[in-house]
Amino acid sequence: MKRRTLLKFLAAGPIFGAAGHVHAAPPKTMKDVEALQANWKALLAPGTPVPSAAEPLKLSKDEWRKRLSPASYNVLREEGTERAGTSPLDHEKRPGVFVCAGCGLPVFSSEMKFDSGTGWPSFFTTIPGAFQTSTDYKILYPRTEYHCARCGGHHGHVFDDGPPPTGKRYCNNGVALKFIPQKA
Ligand SMILES: [Zn+2]
């Protein structure tokens, strides 16, 4: 390998962290973001079942209550908001995939996460097709609410003050997510 090719390879490739985990550099261009969206399955633990958004999960209120913790039920089914700083997933930094706590649909990869300092797990993009959006007026100004494309569960709100290049901040309730580390 020529030196110039090697440097190019190193610049494009992942950076190995101190713990031996692979940390991808944050994306610089929308092309990088599209690559994250296309390659999220590389972070999925082997053998993880992946439901499809094309197979909707519809349950009654009672069935949801049985299936979810009270905190998850409040957020996913009643559009509640967890208290900032209460989710251990806010500090989750391992490689892996975040799935909907209601139905298991993969919604974010670890490479889409950033530290927003808000006290909620935050992401600058999503796995394609994971969410649908609506506008809510729960507080005085309109906000874009987003919910799981498979089970309709509410996850959070998306704002336009995220990091470049997307400029988006998906502010997600931790109790609406389940994290599956790439390596057990
Ligand atoms: Zn779901």
Side-chain angles (χ1 to χ4, degrees):
M1 196 182 276
K2 280 182 190 162
R3 185 178 151 78
R4 213 173 62 192
T5 318
L6 177 68
L7 286 177
K8 229 170 146 182
F9 172 77
L10 288 173
I15 299 155
F16 288 85
H21 290 146
V22 179
H23 293 286
K28 289 193 177 70
T29 65
M30 284 309 287
K31 244 197 160 79
D32 297 338
V33 174
E34 283 160 24
L36 294 187
Q37 290 183 313
N39 301 325
W40 66 268
K41 278 189 181 167
L43 290 155
L44 195 65
T48 308
V50 177
S52 157
E55 301 154 20
L57 181 68
K58 289 206 190 316
L59 299 175
S60 69
K61 275 190 175 182
D62 280 354
E63 287 169 318
W64 279 121
R65 258 187 229 284
K66 273 182 217 152
R67 192 179 167 113
L68 300 171
S69 71
S72 296
Y73 182 89
N74 175 249
V75 167
L76 285 164
R77 309 314 311 177
E78 300 178 320
E79 294 198 20
T81 299
E82 73 188 10
R83 212 149 45 83
T86 56
S87 174
L89 292 185
D90 190 22
H91 304 292
E92 179 59 66
K93 289 188 169 69
R94 288 173 293 170
V97 171
F98 295 84
V99 302
C100 174
C103 71
L105 183 73
V107 290
F108 302 108
S109 78
S110 52
E111 292 183 334
M112 300 171 179
K113 193 170 189 283
F114 74 101
D115 186 5
S116 64
T118 57
W120 287 286
S122 301
F123 304 84
F124 53 78
T125 191
T126 78
I127 289 173
F131 294 114
Q132 293 168 343
T133 62
S134 69
T135 304
D136 85 31
Y137 296 88
K138 286 195 169 179
I139 53 177
L140 285 175
Y141 62 92
R143 290 181 302 174
T144 304
E145 175 277 347
Y146 62 90
H147 51 272
C148 172
R150 180 168 185 245
C151 73
H154 168 73
H155 274 248
H157 292 86
V158 58
F159 301 94
D160 289 326
D161 57 7
T166 66
K168 296 287 178 196
R169 173 170 61 93
Y170 287 82
C171 184
N172 214 103
N173 289 279
V175 294
L177 296 170
K178 206 180 115 192
F179 179 66
I180 302 174
Q182 186 183 29
K183 294 189 181 90

